[in-house]
Amino acid sequence: MTELQRPNPRLNENLLFNVAPGGPPRYSHLSQKPVQYLTVTDRDGEVIGYAWANDEDDAAGWVVRKAGGDEAFNKGARWARKLHDAKARGVAPTAALAEMIQESDPTKSSHVVPGSLTEAANADVVRRLANPE
């Protein structure tokens, strides 16, 4: 004889999710306005990704080139971290790019390409540049 299973009333309760403020400050990852961007390469000159910024939207981001594989992803973490650190210090997005240029060291595993500061119509253009379909 099989015992009937009784439903657990706790499984029928509505769950309430309350948004808790906090966490590290972040730049917005969206901007449909013109952005400035930098090209970052590894020691061999292979492009690993792009850092972009727009002050008006308080937006900035790092876009890794997927074609660079895991190595580009791993090296790119340094550049994403630079953006996070700049935001935590209250640095404007384009000033964060300027810091990246100033602090770039070609002897490191990746660096900003000198003279690569360029403007694009928006962040999506930079994303497509990094990863064309």
Side-chain angles (χ1 to χ4, degrees), residues 58-115:
D58 193 36
W62 167 255
V63 184
V64 68
R65 278 191 67 235
K66 292 176 186 169
D70 293 340
E71 192 170 336
F73 179 82
N74 292 335
K75 289 177 182 174
R78 173 176 165 230
W79 300 95
R81 198 169 38 255
K82 285 181 177 286
L83 288 173
H84 296 309
D85 293 347
K87 178 61 176 175
R89 291 183 287 115
V91 175
T94 57
L97 293 186
E99 285 183 356
M100 289 177 171
I101 293 169
Q102 185 177 6
E103 297 170 0
S104 185
D105 180 353
T107 65
K108 299 277 186 189
S109 65
S110 60
H111 63 277
V112 173
V113 173

Side-chain angles (χ1 to χ4, degrees), residues 30-43:
L30 301 172
S31 182
Q32 291 304 315
K33 297 181 175 114
V35 299
Q36 294 180 10
Y37 71 94
L38 301 171
T39 303
V40 177
T41 63
D42 64 15
R43 282 190 186 131

